[in-house]
Amino acid sequence: MLIGVIADDFTGGSDIANTLAKGVAPEGGLITAQYAGVPTGKAEAGIEAGVISLKSRSAPVEEAVAQSLAALEWLSEQGCEQIIFKYCSTFDSTDDGNIGPVSEALARALDCRGVVVCPAFPTAGRTVYQGHLFVFDRLLSESGMQNHPLTPMTDSDLRRVLGAQTDENVGHVAHPIVTAGALDVRNALSAMSERFAVVDAISDAALLTISDAVDGAALVTGGSGIALGLPRNFIRSGRAQGGNVQFTPASGPEAILAGSCSGATRGQVDYHAARHPALAIDVPGVMNGTVTAADFTEFLISHQGNAPLIYSSGTPDEVSAVQKTFGREATSAKLDALFADTAKDLIARGYRRIVVAGGETSGAVAQAICETLKVDDMRIGPEIDPGVPILSLNNASVLVALKSGNFGTTDFFEKALRMMETDV
């Protein structure tokens, strides 16, 4: 294994796994596997990039750090030459972490300075300029992320956000240095006394420049875009072969589970519900135990073949009202557990195509499916929309798509199920 990724949630893990598997033309990408947590055994021979997906984004800081260091230990044992700490392209974190504390722990473990910090993903509208994170033409703090129910982002200055979460100073590699080329970026990083450096990136070309600059770096941090050019570093040096993603389509029963409250997911839910059977989750019923996973399974089975959807995606006001009544953490944990139980039931009943929306929901569902099928890894298939691939489990008998809340076109759910049946 050449590249090892520590992702702080499952959709983010799928996102960067997709980037590594796809690579850039003409070289292509790496043979990539995604893991549901830290594996207990060795990686399968031939895997060139391994992505360990944790549920550490909103975990207590100490727990997130411990999980990430355990992932680093396993990846190092597999021979990884470069480690990437992958977080969301909207830098999702609380005032205490976990991006800063985890980055700091990994950098100290690997004895690194001038570590790149770059959540940019221009294809999805996330760019970094003058050290500030933008979502399309809006500062992060004005993009809607300030209303996130778990990790509200009210500051777009990445240096300030990261600096508040760590004991380390944070430097900056500005846009003019990036446009000057990889050598200038490399020299700027090498000359830094600071542990971390926020690096501007407003285009894919900038990300490729950064990739060239960090060839050989032990640690890189960022969104999935930071990995855009990393595979070709290994392919050009002859340490990896490169090529195209391998994929075997599958048909069979289908289900869509949406637990994200993002604006993009709400739009996708509205679009899909107008055309297919859809069940809005009665959250108070879930919390008092009158709504169970059996109710969800019954609905999905009764509408098999019609792309049925179950969702808990509410508006910010609706989510706030529920959280005030039942508590934020308690509500999230209860819903995730219910989605996980539903997924286990579906797999046991022979379901082969499952689409999931929402980072926390995806983590719960992915772990449940892997446990049910008794597998550790998910192989990366073709890209449905930017940042969202099809994942194959259990020798491709089960296909899954894990979508971050803000990703995907309006018709994403239909498209995902259709592509799973198609030899693309």
Side-chain angles (χ1 to χ4, degrees):
M1 193 178 289
L2 300 169
I3 294 178
V5 180
I6 302 167
D8 66 0
D9 80 344
F10 277 76
T11 55
S14 296
D15 182 2
I16 195 167
N18 174 70
T19 302
L20 291 167
K22 185 172 62 173
V24 291
E27 293 88 358
L30 304 179
I31 300 171
T32 305
Q34 183 177 1
Y35 302 92
V38 181
T40 55
K42 291 184 177 180
E44 186 175 330
I47 299 298
E48 297 170 324
V51 180
I52 295 180
S53 298
L54 306 173
K55 284 192 67 175
S56 59
R57 178 175 300 175
S58 55
V61 171
E62 296 79 6
E63 182 180 326
V65 168
Q67 289 181 12
S68 301
L69 290 175
L72 172 63
E73 181 179 3
W74 186 85
L75 291 167
S76 298
E77 289 172 351
Q78 311 314 306
C80 290
E81 299 176 22
Q82 188 166 57
I83 299 295
I84 307 171
F85 172 37
K86 197 281 177 191
Y87 38 76
C88 186
S89 59
T90 47
F91 216 67
D92 291 22
S93 52
T94 68
D95 291 340
D96 297 324
N98 292 332
I99 292 176
V102 170
S103 297
E104 186 174 24
L106 295 174
R108 291 187 175 189
L110 294 169
D111 194 22
C112 299
R113 289 200 170 273
V115 175
V116 166
V117 176
C118 185
F121 188 2
T123 304
R126 280 70 160 164
T127 56
V128 179
Y129 181 68
Q130 299 289 20
H132 287 68
L133 181 54
F134 288 79
V135 178
F136 294 102
D137 63 341
R138 300 283 182 179
L139 287 165
L140 176 67
S141 55
E142 302 172 2
S143 67
M145 280 302 297
Q146 69 270 30
N147 299 318
H148 193 286
L150 295 178
T151 51
M153 299 303 297
T154 59
D155 191 353
S156 60
D157 189 330
L158 299 180
R159 292 160 295 183
R160 193 158 52 214
V161 173
L162 187 61
Q165 295 180 5
T166 75
D167 295 325
E168 303 286 349
N169 293 325
V170 182
H172 179 220
V173 178
H175 175 67
I177 297 176
V178 178
T179 57
L183 181 59
D184 288 69
V185 175
R186 181 188 288 267
N187 288 339
L189 294 172
S190 298
M192 283 199 170
S193 60
E194 295 91 347
R195 181 79 71 179
F196 301 108
V198 173
V199 183
D200 286 354
I202 63 172
S203 65
D204 282 352
L207 291 173
L208 291 175
T209 296
I210 297 168
S211 293
D212 289 343
V214 299
D215 185 9
L219 176 65
V220 181
T221 84
S224 64
I226 200 64
L228 189 63
L230 297 183
R232 72 181 185 181
N233 292 338
F234 291 94
I235 295 167
R236 287 171 172 175
S237 67
R239 287 172 288 171
Q241 182 175 355
N244 298 319
V245 171
Q246 302 297 314
F247 174 66
T248 301
S251 58
E254 79 293 353
I256 305 165
L257 309 174
S260 168
C261 300
S262 73
T265 297
R266 293 200 307 273
Q268 291 158 351
V269 166
D270 290 344
Y271 177 91
H272 198 83
R275 294 161 176 78
H276 302 275
L279 176 66
I281 294 176
D282 174 11
V283 178
V286 169
M287 298 306 292
N288 65 31
T290 59
V291 175
T292 68
D295 298 316
F296 294 173
T297 303
E298 181 181 353
F299 174 83
L300 293 168
I301 291 175
S302 66
H303 295 287
Q304 184 177 316
N306 293 308
L309 161 70
I310 291 177
Y311 66 96
S312 65
S313 304
T315 66
D317 288 343
E318 292 169 339
V319 172
S320 179
V322 169
Q323 290 179 343
K324 286 180 180 178
T325 301
F326 301 104
R328 185 177 71 178
E329 290 78 11
T331 302
S332 178
K334 189 77 170 182
L335 286 171
D336 287 346
L338 204 59
F339 278 123
D341 289 342
T342 301
K344 289 179 181 179
D345 199 7
L346 294 176
I347 295 299
R349 292 172 181 268
Y351 273 67
R352 302 187 64 192
R353 294 179 296 149
I354 299 177
V355 180
V356 190
E360 297 297 317
T361 304
S362 291
V365 170
Q367 284 185 319
I369 293 175
C370 288
E371 289 172 3
T372 303
L373 294 174
K374 294 181 172 57
V375 298
D376 280 330
D377 64 279
M378 301 168 275
R379 296 301 178 92
I380 309 305
E383 186 176 56
I384 303 166
D385 274 332
V388 192
I390 296 173
L391 305 176
S392 301
L393 295 89
N394 203 23
N395 295 321
S397 66
V398 175
L399 301 179
V400 178
L402 308 176
K403 185 194 84 71
S404 176
N406 290 303
F407 283 14
T409 56
T410 304
D411 63 343
F412 175 83
F413 298 141
E414 290 180 348
K415 186 192 305 183
L417 291 175
R418 183 172 62 250
M419 287 184 63
M420 289 176 176
E421 293 185 300
T422 306
D423 189 3
V424 291

